[in-house]
Amino acid sequence: MLLTDGARVAADPALRPAARWWRRVTEEAYGIDLVPVTDGPADVVLALAADLPAGGYRIEVREAPSGTGATPGTATVRVEAADLAGAHAAAQTLRQLAGPSAFRRAPADYRTAGTLPALPAVRVEDHPRFEWRGVLLDVARHFLPKHDVLRFVDLAAAHRLNVLQLHLTDDQGWRVQIDRYPELTRTGAWRRESTVGTWRTGSRDGRPHGGFYTQDDLREIVAYTRDRGITVIPEIDVPGHVEAAVAAYPELGTRKDRSGVRTTWGISQDVLDPSEGSLAFFRHVLDEVLDVFDSPWIGLGGDEVPPTLWRESPQIVERARALGLFDAGGTVDVGLLHGWFVARLAEHVSAAGRRAVVWDEAVSPMLPRDVVVTSWRGYAQGAAALAAGHDVVMAPEQVVYLDHRAGDHPAEPIPVGFLRTIEDVYSFDPFPPGLVEPPSSLVELVETQVSTSSTSGGAAAADHRQGRLLGAQAQVWTEHLDSARRVDYATYPRLAAFAEVAWSPQAAREPGSERSKEFLERLERHHLPRLDAYGVEYRPLAGPHPWQTRPGVQGYPRDLAAETAVGGWAGLGGWREDGGAENLPEWTPASDT
Ligand code: ACM
């Protein structure tokens, strides 16, 4: 059934942004006009429905009844949505139902009369499993021009994801204009050169790299993203991953010297001096970030913070002592400054009426309970944070780090991390049934947290509540993705597998299972043609195109089975006193042994 030129579209005022988006993409793709109407008969109706779960929708496409004056064979569409989020999801489904041609920016058959959008007669009713279906885009390691960020948003929305975490700052670049501290972008947004491949053996490209978003750019990204049903979470990473900020303002650093924006990858020892001055600086930064972004959540990072330089600084040791940061044996513990520092900034975010989001290393008894924890090193950290009363997003590097290698094809470009095929990602369970016992060190942490929070603020132990599993997030880190083309390759089609898991009820989806096979078939027959029509340079299922390979660039593959055997549900990732995964024998591909 067809939608014709001039079809009338009526939307409840609360759902208009979704209706407008769908009208615009359909008008572009088919070269027709769809007419918004506020009264009288309509061919497409979007209405609110009270009986649907949050984010849910219902679509019915029928042939226009005869006797209404409609041309035979034309469609009438009724969309009911629980809320605007549901209407956005429904709009994406409507585009999907029209087929790959709906993913073009202009009609491919413009020389002939053109094709009208054709919709099958269907009834669809659906709602999301999780309220947080996220994807992280790292624009710090490699700056992605705004145009490419907007394109990334379009594609994430097409997969009904609803959270985009923008990783805006790191050792290798500061990407957000802060009026009060202009050196952050004047100095911190640029690096002399980049490492090509793993930092362990990588070579230098000898070519400067950089860029940043003005506050107007970011406001535009926020508005654009909101119009597609996605919330952008800005992430300002502290107190580690700060070499770019320290290059701009050396007084922020532990060493106080101007070492420059980092040009290699890997975990940096150069973390913030956790001083009152650093706190004041980042409160000011956050005030501007809070003004630009309307997200209810603000990312504070908190991952990978080696306390090595803190230990060597008598002033910082004294500061930890003065703050009462002692280990269980009563010895001053500078490492606790990490959690202390993040907790202070989280309070600043809370005071502004938002909630901080932190990586799992930042969990400590000092962390306010309203802070959302993103569990990346493994699952156990997320389980422990839930038990401590935090809301949690599961993002374990064991499955949903899309910069990790998608195949063991010999020509896989810059193969880093764990081998995670599209089927592996499709089998992702954010809270697997075997995840019952967090390691004892985490249990201790939880118990301390519960007793701390029950003695402060008057909360009784009986008040203690388990946090909520908000959802899941896939990560696109860009150390080895230096262009939008490389981002496409790493992200797709695996993000499609992740998106389906984050949306639909948990099910057995193991590689090789009937469900997994059905998914792959559906992907090949229906979804890859949509990505082709849109112009996505995804990784072909059979392996990279020759021009997608990076011969001679050294990766650093990791062995998931070996790391899991040692680290269990907690993994071995991140900074560890014992070196963690770095102490395992180097992984070699099976084909080489
Ligand atoms: C992380 O991968 N360091 C969050």
Side-chain angles (χ1 to χ4, degrees):
M1 277 161 303
L2 302 176
L3 275 171
T4 48
D5 193 23
R8 290 149 304 176
V9 182
D12 185 286
L15 309 182
R16 273 191 202 147
R20 191 187 312 126
W21 173 85
W22 174 76
R23 275 200 333 263
R24 285 184 183 157
V25 293
T26 308
E27 287 174 343
E28 269 185 19
Y30 296 97
I32 58 171
D33 292 307
L34 298 174
V35 182
V37 295
T38 48
D39 52 22
D43 305 287
V44 179
V45 173
L46 284 87
L48 281 167
D51 64 327
L52 287 161
Y57 68 88
R58 198 179 279 135
I59 295 176
E60 185 175 15
V61 181
R62 292 187 294 126
E63 185 167 344
S66 56
T68 56
T71 317
T74 58
T76 56
V77 179
R78 183 169 175 84
V79 173
E80 294 180 353
D83 43 31
L84 179 57
H88 279 299
Q92 293 293 345
T93 300
L94 270 187
R95 177 165 68 160
Q96 211 170 300
L97 286 170
S101 54
F103 285 74
R104 297 189 181 276
R105 255 60 125 245
D109 53 357
Y110 69 96
R111 285 177 190 281
T112 56
T115 308
L116 291 169
L119 297 172
V122 283
R123 288 175 66 99
V124 180
E125 183 167 334
D126 211 352
H127 67 273
R129 175 181 182 200
F130 287 122
E131 65 200 82
W132 183 309
R133 305 180 303 282
V135 59
L136 174 145
L137 179 63
D138 171 11
V139 290
R141 268 49 174 272
H142 279 102
F143 176 70
L144 207 55
K146 188 192 68 189
H147 163 84
D148 294 318
V149 174
L150 299 179
R151 180 177 173 279
F152 190 88
V153 169
D154 279 332
L155 284 164
H159 292 82
R160 291 185 206 80
L161 298 178
N162 68 346
V163 169
L164 169 67
Q165 181 162 340
L166 263 190
H167 184 74
L168 286 165
T169 69
D170 213 300
D171 296 311
Q172 297 83 3
W174 182 282
R175 310 278 175 231
V176 45
Q177 173 195 354
I178 300 294
D179 290 334
R180 188 177 179 122
Y181 300 119
E183 284 305 317
L184 283 172
T185 44
R186 207 178 285 147
T187 298
W190 313 97
R191 63 175 180 260
R192 205 177 60 248
E193 60 182 357
S194 306
T195 301
V196 184
T198 172
W199 57 269
R200 296 161 186 86
T201 53
S203 58
R204 307 302 185 91
D205 66 0
R207 192 173 58 155
H209 174 84
F212 67 92
Y213 309 103
T214 66
Q215 294 195 356
D216 278 349
D217 290 337
L218 291 165
R219 287 180 210 277
E220 179 189 350
I221 290 172
V222 169
Y224 188 90
T225 305
R226 192 201 297 117
D227 277 349
R228 283 148 186 80
I230 297 183
T231 300
V232 195
I233 301 181
E235 183 192 352
I236 305 295
D237 203 344
V238 290
H241 292 275
V242 289
E243 277 196 50
V246 171
Y249 294 94
E251 64 273 23
L252 295 172
T254 304
R255 286 198 238 250
K256 315 285 178 214
D257 62 359
R258 191 179 281 277
S259 55
V261 177
R262 189 175 169 92
T263 59
T264 62
W265 319 123
I267 300 174
S268 170
Q269 302 287 331
D270 278 300
V271 301
L272 289 180
D273 178 348
S275 63
E276 287 303 322
S278 298
L279 268 182
F281 183 99
F282 277 94
R283 286 187 183 118
H284 289 138
V285 167
L286 286 172
D287 287 342
E288 293 192 31
V289 168
L290 285 158
D291 189 55
V292 171
F293 292 88
D294 62 358
S295 160
W297 304 290
I298 303 290
L300 297 179
D303 54 326
E304 298 176 322
V305 186
T308 324
L309 295 177
W310 290 349
R311 288 190 186 128
E312 293 166 8
S313 159
Q315 293 93 317
I316 293 176
V317 173
E318 187 43 43
R319 178 161 175 73
R321 185 191 319 282
L323 290 167
L325 300 175
F326 300 104
D327 65 17
T331 309
V332 66
D333 183 352
V334 287
L336 297 176
L337 282 163
H338 167 187
W340 178 86
F341 190 87
V342 174
R344 297 292 81 78
L345 290 182
E347 285 162 2
H348 190 70
V349 169
S350 295
R354 318 283 185 92
R355 293 176 70 185
V357 183
V358 302
W359 298 108
D360 58 67
E361 292 101 316
V363 174
S364 81
M366 295 165 277
L367 193 66
R369 207 103 65 85
D370 71 330
V371 175
V372 175
V373 175
T374 310
S375 189
W376 78 272
R377 287 177 298 168
Y379 299 82
Q381 295 84 348
L386 282 170
H390 291 285
D391 292 345
V392 163
V393 176
M394 284 295 198
E397 66 164 350
Q398 289 80 354
V399 197
V400 290
Y401 268 35
L402 300 185
D403 52 318
H404 287 195
R405 58 208 163 100
D408 54 7
H409 191 283
E412 201 60 43
I414 323 181
V416 298
F418 304 126
L419 170 62
R420 294 286 85 187
T421 65
I422 185 159
E423 284 198 273
D424 293 326
V425 175
Y426 192 63
S427 70
F428 174 51
D429 181 350
F431 203 91
L435 181 60
V436 280
E437 292 291 337
S440 58
S441 58
L442 292 166
V443 171
E444 269 166 38
L445 179 67
V446 171
E447 284 169 355
T448 326
Q449 172 118 353
V450 173
S451 64
T452 310
S453 48
S454 61
T455 50
S456 66
D463 265 2
H464 178 68
R465 68 164 181 93
Q466 174 95 1
R468 284 188 316 129
L469 179 59
L470 297 181
Q473 186 166 288
Q475 276 56 236
V476 182
W477 299 107
T478 60
E479 288 94 330
H480 309 293
L481 308 176
D482 59 359
S483 67
R485 301 182 73 173
R486 292 279 295 129
V487 168
D488 268 10
Y489 179 87
T491 308
Y492 293 102
R494 288 183 297 174
L495 193 66
F498 170 81
E500 184 160 319
V501 170
W503 177 280
S504 36
Q506 186 54 39
R509 299 187 173 94
E510 292 75 29
S513 64
E514 281 310 307
R515 208 181 281 268
S516 186
K517 281 190 213 147
E518 184 272 332
F519 166 74
L520 284 179
E521 210 177 285
R522 194 154 36 87
L523 182 80
E524 252 187 299
R525 283 194 40 205
H526 298 292
H527 197 59
L528 296 185
R530 292 183 197 117
L531 298 184
D532 284 327
Y534 191 85
V536 181
E537 288 190 279
Y538 55 83
R539 179 188 188 277
L541 296 178
H545 291 300
W547 56 90
Q548 292 175 317
T549 66
R550 295 293 300 270
V553 181
Q554 201 64 42
Y556 188 76
R558 292 163 60 189
D559 181 343
L560 182 59
E563 290 196 30
T564 303
V566 180
W569 288 116
L572 290 183
W575 181 83
R576 293 168 62 107
E577 203 89 55
D578 65 4
E582 298 281 333
N583 284 340
L584 290 175
E586 194 162 332
W587 181 90
T588 43
S591 53
D592 285 6
T593 54

Short mmCIF file of all heavy atoms in Angstrom, two decimals, residues 303-337:
data_model
loop_
_atom_site.label_atom_id
_atom_site.label_comp_id
_atom_site.label_asym_id
_atom_site.label_seq_id
_atom_site.Cartn_x
_atom_site.Cartn_y
_atom_site.Cartn_z
N ASP A 303 37.68 6.47 35.29
CA ASP A 303 38.34 5.19 34.98
C ASP A 303 39.86 5.36 35.01
O ASP A 303 40.38 6.45 34.81
CB ASP A 303 37.90 4.68 33.60
CG ASP A 303 38.13 5.71 32.49
OD1 ASP A 303 38.00 6.92 32.77
OD2 ASP A 303 38.45 5.31 31.36
N GLU A 304 40.53 4.27 35.24
CA GLU A 304 41.98 4.14 35.05
C GLU A 304 42.77 5.30 35.67
O GLU A 304 43.25 6.19 34.97
CB GLU A 304 42.28 4.02 33.54
CG GLU A 304 41.62 2.78 32.96
CD GLU A 304 41.79 2.63 31.46
OE1 GLU A 304 41.74 3.63 30.73
OE2 GLU A 304 41.97 1.49 31.01
N VAL A 305 42.89 5.25 37.00
CA VAL A 305 43.57 6.33 37.72
C VAL A 305 44.73 5.74 38.54
O VAL A 305 44.56 5.41 39.71
CB VAL A 305 42.58 7.06 38.65
CG1 VAL A 305 43.25 8.27 39.29
CG2 VAL A 305 41.34 7.50 37.89
N PRO A 306 45.92 5.62 37.94
CA PRO A 306 47.05 5.10 38.71
C PRO A 306 47.45 6.11 39.80
O PRO A 306 47.66 7.29 39.49
CB PRO A 306 48.18 4.96 37.68
CG PRO A 306 47.55 5.16 36.34
CD PRO A 306 46.27 5.91 36.55
N PRO A 307 47.57 5.68 41.06
CA PRO A 307 47.94 6.61 42.12
C PRO A 307 49.45 6.76 42.29
O PRO A 307 49.92 7.34 43.27
CB PRO A 307 47.32 5.96 43.37
CG PRO A 307 47.33 4.50 43.07
CD PRO A 307 47.26 4.33 41.58
N THR A 308 50.21 6.25 41.31
CA THR A 308 51.68 6.18 41.43
C THR A 308 52.30 7.54 41.78
O THR A 308 53.10 7.64 42.71
CB THR A 308 52.26 5.68 40.09
OG1 THR A 308 51.36 4.73 39.53
CG2 THR A 308 53.63 5.07 40.27
N LEU A 309 51.96 8.57 41.04
CA LEU A 309 52.58 9.88 41.29
C LEU A 309 52.07 10.51 42.58
O LEU A 309 52.79 11.26 43.24
CB LEU A 309 52.33 10.83 40.11
CG LEU A 309 52.98 10.41 38.79
CD1 LEU A 309 52.62 11.40 37.68
CD2 LEU A 309 54.50 10.33 38.93
N TRP A 310 50.86 10.20 42.96
CA TRP A 310 50.32 10.70 44.23
C TRP A 310 51.16 10.17 45.39
O TRP A 310 51.45 10.88 46.35
CB TRP A 310 48.86 10.28 44.42
CG TRP A 310 47.89 10.97 43.48
CD1 TRP A 310 48.16 12.03 42.67
CD2 TRP A 310 46.51 10.63 43.28
NE1 TRP A 310 47.02 12.38 41.97
CE2 TRP A 310 46.00 11.53 42.32
CE3 TRP A 310 45.66 9.66 43.80
CZ2 TRP A 310 44.67 11.50 41.88
CZ3 TRP A 310 44.34 9.62 43.37
CH2 TRP A 310 43.85 10.53 42.41
N ARG A 311 51.52 8.89 45.28
CA ARG A 311 52.29 8.28 46.37
C ARG A 311 53.64 8.97 46.55
O ARG A 311 54.20 8.99 47.64
CB ARG A 311 52.56 6.80 46.05
CG ARG A 311 51.33 5.96 46.18
CD ARG A 311 51.68 4.48 46.10
NE ARG A 311 50.44 3.72 46.08
CZ ARG A 311 50.13 2.81 45.17
NH1 ARG A 311 50.99 2.47 44.23
NH2 ARG A 311 48.98 2.20 45.24
N GLU A 312 54.17 9.50 45.42
CA GLU A 312 55.49 10.12 45.47
C GLU A 312 55.42 11.57 45.94
O GLU A 312 56.46 12.22 46.06
CB GLU A 312 56.14 10.06 44.08
CG GLU A 312 56.47 8.64 43.66
CD GLU A 312 56.80 8.53 42.16
OE1 GLU A 312 56.93 9.58 41.48
OE2 GLU A 312 56.90 7.39 41.69
N SER A 313 54.24 12.10 46.14
CA SER A 313 54.13 13.52 46.49
C SER A 313 53.78 13.67 47.97
O SER A 313 52.66 13.33 48.40
CB SER A 313 53.03 14.16 45.63
OG SER A 313 52.57 15.34 46.24
N PRO A 314 54.71 14.20 48.77
CA PRO A 314 54.42 14.36 50.20
C PRO A 314 53.18 15.22 50.44
O PRO A 314 52.38 14.93 51.34
CB PRO A 314 55.68 15.06 50.74
CG PRO A 314 56.75 14.80 49.74
CD PRO A 314 56.07 14.62 48.42
N GLN A 315 52.98 16.26 49.61
CA GLN A 315 51.80 17.12 49.82
C GLN A 315 50.51 16.34 49.60
O GLN A 315 49.52 16.53 50.31
CB GLN A 315 51.78 18.32 48.85
CG GLN A 315 52.87 19.33 49.05
CD GLN A 315 54.07 19.00 48.14
OE1 GLN A 315 54.47 17.83 48.01
NE2 GLN A 315 54.66 20.02 47.55
N ILE A 316 50.54 15.47 48.59
CA ILE A 316 49.30 14.74 48.28
C ILE A 316 49.05 13.66 49.34
O ILE A 316 47.90 13.44 49.76
CB ILE A 316 49.35 14.18 46.84
CG1 ILE A 316 49.31 15.38 45.87
CG2 ILE A 316 48.19 13.23 46.57
CD1 ILE A 316 49.43 15.03 44.40
N VAL A 317 50.12 13.05 49.83
CA VAL A 317 49.96 12.07 50.92
C VAL A 317 49.38 12.79 52.15
O VAL A 317 48.44 12.30 52.80
CB VAL A 317 51.30 11.40 51.26
CG1 VAL A 317 51.17 10.51 52.51
CG2 VAL A 317 51.82 10.59 50.07
N GLU A 318 49.89 13.99 52.40
CA GLU A 318 49.40 14.76 53.55
C GLU A 318 47.92 15.14 53.36
O GLU A 318 47.14 15.12 54.30
CB GLU A 318 50.29 16.02 53.71
CG GLU A 318 50.01 16.84 54.95
CD GLU A 318 49.81 15.99 56.21
OE1 GLU A 318 50.58 15.02 56.41
OE2 GLU A 318 48.86 16.27 56.98
N ARG A 319 47.59 15.45 52.14
CA ARG A 319 46.20 15.82 51.84
C ARG A 319 45.26 14.63 52.14
O ARG A 319 44.20 14.80 52.73
CB ARG A 319 46.09 16.23 50.38
CG ARG A 319 44.69 16.58 49.93
CD ARG A 319 44.74 17.41 48.64
NE ARG A 319 43.41 17.67 48.12
CZ ARG A 319 42.55 18.52 48.66
NH1 ARG A 319 42.88 19.19 49.76
NH2 ARG A 319 41.37 18.70 48.12
N ALA A 320 45.70 13.43 51.70
CA ALA A 320 44.88 12.23 51.96
C ALA A 320 44.73 12.03 53.46
O ALA A 320 43.64 11.72 53.96
CB ALA A 320 45.53 11.01 51.31
N ARG A 321 45.83 12.27 54.19
CA ARG A 321 45.77 12.09 55.65
C ARG A 321 44.79 13.13 56.26
O ARG A 321 43.93 12.78 57.05
CB ARG A 321 47.17 12.29 56.26
CG ARG A 321 47.22 12.00 57.78
CD ARG A 321 48.53 12.47 58.42
NE ARG A 321 49.71 12.20 57.61
CZ ARG A 321 50.30 11.02 57.49
NH1 ARG A 321 49.86 10.00 58.18
NH2 ARG A 321 51.36 10.87 56.71
N ALA A 322 44.93 14.36 55.80
CA ALA A 322 44.07 15.42 56.36
C ALA A 322 42.59 15.14 56.07
O ALA A 322 41.71 15.51 56.85
CB ALA A 322 44.48 16.77 55.77
N LEU A 323 42.33 14.47 54.92
CA LEU A 323 40.94 14.16 54.57
C LEU A 323 40.44 12.90 55.27
O LEU A 323 39.29 12.50 55.10
CB LEU A 323 40.81 14.00 53.05
CG LEU A 323 40.95 15.29 52.23
CD1 LEU A 323 41.12 14.98 50.75
CD2 LEU A 323 39.74 16.20 52.45
N GLY A 324 41.34 12.24 56.00
CA GLY A 324 40.93 11.02 56.72
C GLY A 324 40.81 9.81 55.82
O GLY A 324 39.98 8.93 56.06
N LEU A 325 41.62 9.77 54.75
CA LEU A 325 41.53 8.64 53.81
C LEU A 325 42.53 7.55 54.21
O LEU A 325 43.70 7.58 53.81
CB LEU A 325 41.77 9.15 52.39
CG LEU A 325 40.76 10.22 51.92
CD1 LEU A 325 41.13 10.76 50.54
CD2 LEU A 325 39.33 9.66 51.89
N PHE A 326 42.06 6.62 55.00
CA PHE A 326 42.90 5.53 55.52
C PHE A 326 42.38 4.19 55.02
O PHE A 326 41.16 4.03 54.82
CB PHE A 326 42.89 5.54 57.05
CG PHE A 326 43.41 6.82 57.63
CD1 PHE A 326 42.53 7.76 58.17
CD2 PHE A 326 44.77 7.11 57.64
CE1 PHE A 326 43.01 8.96 58.69
CE2 PHE A 326 45.25 8.31 58.17
CZ PHE A 326 44.37 9.24 58.70
N ASP A 327 43.28 3.23 54.85
CA ASP A 327 42.84 1.88 54.49
C ASP A 327 42.34 1.16 55.74
O ASP A 327 42.37 1.72 56.85
CB ASP A 327 43.95 1.11 53.76
CG ASP A 327 45.17 0.84 54.63
OD1 ASP A 327 45.04 0.95 55.88
OD2 ASP A 327 46.23 0.51 54.07
N ALA A 328 41.90 -0.09 55.53
CA ALA A 328 41.28 -0.83 56.65
C ALA A 328 42.26 -0.98 57.82
O ALA A 328 41.85 -1.05 58.98
CB ALA A 328 40.81 -2.19 56.17
N GLY A 329 43.59 -1.02 57.51
CA GLY A 329 44.58 -1.17 58.56
C GLY A 329 44.96 0.15 59.22
O GLY A 329 45.87 0.18 60.06
N GLY A 330 44.34 1.25 58.82
CA GLY A 330 44.59 2.54 59.45
C GLY A 330 45.75 3.32 58.84
O GLY A 330 46.18 4.34 59.38
N THR A 331 46.27 2.83 57.70
CA THR A 331 47.36 3.54 57.03
C THR A 331 46.76 4.49 55.99
O THR A 331 45.77 4.15 55.33
CB THR A 331 48.27 2.52 56.30
OG1 THR A 331 48.62 1.51 57.25
CG2 THR A 331 49.50 3.17 55.71
N VAL A 332 47.40 5.66 55.87
CA VAL A 332 46.89 6.62 54.88
C VAL A 332 46.96 5.99 53.48
O VAL A 332 47.92 5.32 53.14
CB VAL A 332 47.67 7.96 54.97
CG1 VAL A 332 49.13 7.80 54.56
CG2 VAL A 332 47.00 9.03 54.14
N ASP A 333 45.88 6.20 52.68
CA ASP A 333 45.78 5.54 51.37
C ASP A 333 45.46 6.59 50.31
O ASP A 333 44.30 6.99 50.13
CB ASP A 333 44.67 4.48 51.44
CG ASP A 333 44.55 3.69 50.14
OD1 ASP A 333 45.20 4.06 49.15
OD2 ASP A 333 43.78 2.71 50.13
N VAL A 334 46.51 7.04 49.59
CA VAL A 334 46.29 8.10 48.59
C VAL A 334 45.37 7.64 47.47
O VAL A 334 44.71 8.46 46.83
CB VAL A 334 47.61 8.62 47.95
CG1 VAL A 334 48.41 9.47 48.91
CG2 VAL A 334 48.42 7.50 47.38
N GLY A 335 45.33 6.33 47.24
CA GLY A 335 44.45 5.80 46.18
C GLY A 335 43.00 6.19 46.40
O GLY A 335 42.22 6.32 45.45
N LEU A 336 42.62 6.41 47.66
CA LEU A 336 41.22 6.77 47.95
C LEU A 336 40.88 8.18 47.48
O LEU A 336 39.71 8.55 47.41
CB LEU A 336 40.95 6.63 49.45
CG LEU A 336 41.08 5.21 50.02
CD1 LEU A 336 40.88 5.22 51.53
CD2 LEU A 336 40.07 4.28 49.35
N LEU A 337 41.93 8.97 47.16
CA LEU A 337 41.66 10.32 46.62
C LEU A 337 40.90 10.25 45.30
O LEU A 337 40.18 11.19 44.94
CB LEU A 337 42.99 11.07 46.41
CG LEU A 337 43.62 11.64 47.69
CD1 LEU A 337 45.08 11.98 47.45
CD2 LEU A 337 42.85 12.88 48.16
#
